[in-house]
Amino acid sequence: MTGTTPVPPTMTALLLTGPEQVRTAEVPTPELRPGHCLVAVRYVGLCGTDLGFWDGSSNYVHDGLKNYPFVPGHEWSGQIVAVAEDIDEDIDGDGAIHGARVGERVAGHNFRPCGTCSQCAEGRIASCPQRSEMGVLGPEPGAAAQFLHVPAHTLVRLPDEVTDQEAALLEPCSAAMHAVDRLGITATDRVAVLGGGTLGLAAAQLARARGAKVALYDPAAPARALATELGLDTDPPENAPHGTFTAVIEASGAPAAVRATPLLCAHGARVAQLGTPHHPVDGMPTAELVLRDITLHGVLSGIAHWKPLLDAVASGALRLSPLIDAVLPYDRPRDAYLRLADGGRIRPKVLLELT
């Protein structure tokens, strides 16, 4: 190791053992492998994917892509406590971390590609058919543990302006940054964002930071209230004007929002499908995609978009703290999941504090 702080041989981790079944367990601390760092986890963010694992509705579970018991958590922040000997401290990883040093505050993406397929060769690691996703897909354990063993190249260093709690929201928000970048949003655009969850609120703020005229639509009054708190124009979906917007970001995955998306588009508009519908969407007006000459982008993750995302958070253009509903200690995971399941929350994100 190039550096280390004392690390115990065992650690506490959270285990989801079945629907609505969660407990703490003492497990071996991961051994440091070449190319990796050991991170002391500070915060883990819980999202809709985690809720699906909690209540048993997850397609990952139903399709056999994730099996109980497992350590959940794919949105996280922490501090490096050990670095493998082969990690050059002067190597830049993904444009955002300069080396990997003990004591640095970090976050990172959760994709673990095979490294040998054609998609990996082209740099499209999020499309690797053999990939695992930490805490989500495949056997890779999640971040809800005292220590996390991660490839150094997946890490980003956190600037002083970004808090550890805000950093636990970076992983989902990188997808929102990807959507805004993919659409090439500029000050000339009129942008509709459908959905007032973490993805939608982040995308709306990021589009606004580029000078675009942005409106966020959500049927839930609490979501609209938070959007208003963030200074965003907001309305119920039924008030969204048709044929108006040069860019639309569908950030909810709700069937009604997916069906409405083409109708909101002006001729030649661009669409980012950022939300993930859980089932086929009946009644989709697909002909409108043709008649309005719409360009449709499916947006998966945001691995290559962390650096501009960090800049946006550090500058205050993207405010993440208002999105946090509750921060609960790791020994109250059931309370955290129940809070996540509470549809009356104004703020979308629940955090677990690990250390």
Side-chain angles (χ1 to χ4, degrees), residues 11-23:
M11 65 178 185
T12 301
L14 298 183
L15 285 179
L16 277 175
T17 57
E20 299 189 11
Q21 300 294 322
V22 63
R23 63 180 176 86

Side-chain angles (χ1 to χ4, degrees), residues 16-355:
L16 277 175
T17 57
E20 299 189 11
Q21 300 294 322
V22 63
R23 63 180 176 86
T24 60
E26 198 74 9
V27 299
T29 302
E31 293 185 7
L32 192 62
R33 301 196 304 268
H36 286 65
C37 298
L38 195 65
V39 176
V41 179
R42 185 70 191 278
Y43 293 100
V44 172
L46 300 179
C47 71
T49 300
D50 297 292
L51 184 59
F53 288 134
W54 164 252
D55 64 19
S57 65
S58 172
N59 287 338
Y60 290 102
V61 173
H62 294 166
D63 295 340
L65 301 175
K66 195 69 178 177
N67 299 305
Y68 302 111
F70 67 92
V71 179
H74 58 282
E75 306 171 6
W76 61 275
S77 65
Q79 187 175 42
I80 295 175
V81 296
V83 178
E85 293 179 352
D86 63 332
I87 300 298
D88 187 339
E89 291 192 353
D90 293 325
I91 290 177
D92 287 332
D94 198 26
I97 184 169
H98 187 66
R101 302 184 183 93
V102 168
E104 296 224 283
R105 297 187 309 121
V106 293
H109 73 74
N110 60 353
F111 283 77
R112 305 292 183 263
C114 72
T116 59
C117 70
S118 59
Q119 295 286 0
C120 288
E122 295 175 4
R124 296 172 54 87
I125 66 174
S127 300
C128 169
Q130 304 301 321
R131 75 182 185 277
S132 63
E133 298 176 32
M134 185 183 73
V136 175
L137 173 65
E140 190 81 19
Q146 285 180 290
F147 298 102
L148 184 61
H149 188 249
V150 288
H153 65 81
T154 67
L155 298 176
V156 292
R157 171 193 283 130
L158 302 178
D160 292 340
E161 297 87 352
V162 178
T163 69
D164 291 338
Q165 290 189 5
E166 290 171 329
L169 279 67
L170 291 174
E171 193 278 335
C173 291
S174 69
M177 176 60 80
H178 182 187
V180 171
D181 282 349
R182 189 82 164 269
L183 296 184
I185 300 295
T186 70
T188 65
D189 278 307
R190 302 182 305 279
V191 181
V193 177
L194 307 185
T198 299
L199 292 175
L201 291 167
Q205 292 183 77
L206 291 167
R208 180 180 61 184
R210 297 191 175 193
K213 182 175 176 58
V214 181
L216 183 143
Y217 298 96
D218 194 290
R224 297 197 303 273
L226 179 53
T228 299
E229 180 183 327
L230 291 167
L232 296 165
D233 293 334
T234 183
D235 247 324
E238 58 268 25
N239 294 342
H242 287 195
T244 299
F245 298 97
T246 60
V248 179
I249 300 174
E250 201 298 297
S252 71
V258 174
R259 286 191 290 265
T261 293
L263 304 177
L264 302 182
C265 291
H267 188 84
R270 300 98 69 205
V271 170
Q273 184 60 47
L274 179 58
T276 305
H278 294 294
H279 306 285
V281 177
D282 294 331
M284 175 71 175
T286 308
E288 296 297 333
L289 298 174
V290 179
L291 297 175
R292 302 185 191 218
D293 195 26
I294 295 168
T295 301
L296 174 62
H297 299 274
V299 176
L300 174 65
S301 188
I303 293 172
H305 301 267
W306 283 67
K307 180 59 169 64
L309 175 66
L310 282 168
D311 291 342
V313 179
S315 70
L318 174 56
R319 295 172 57 200
L320 295 182
S321 291
L323 277 59
I324 299 172
D325 172 81
V327 181
L328 295 170
Y330 79 94
D331 57 358
R332 291 177 56 194
R334 183 176 181 83
D335 291 341
Y337 281 108
L338 292 175
R339 184 61 186 169
L340 187 68
D342 182 356
R345 288 177 296 117
I346 292 178
R347 306 177 196 279
K349 188 59 63 176
V350 175
L351 302 185
L352 282 169
E353 185 171 10
L354 271 295
T355 59

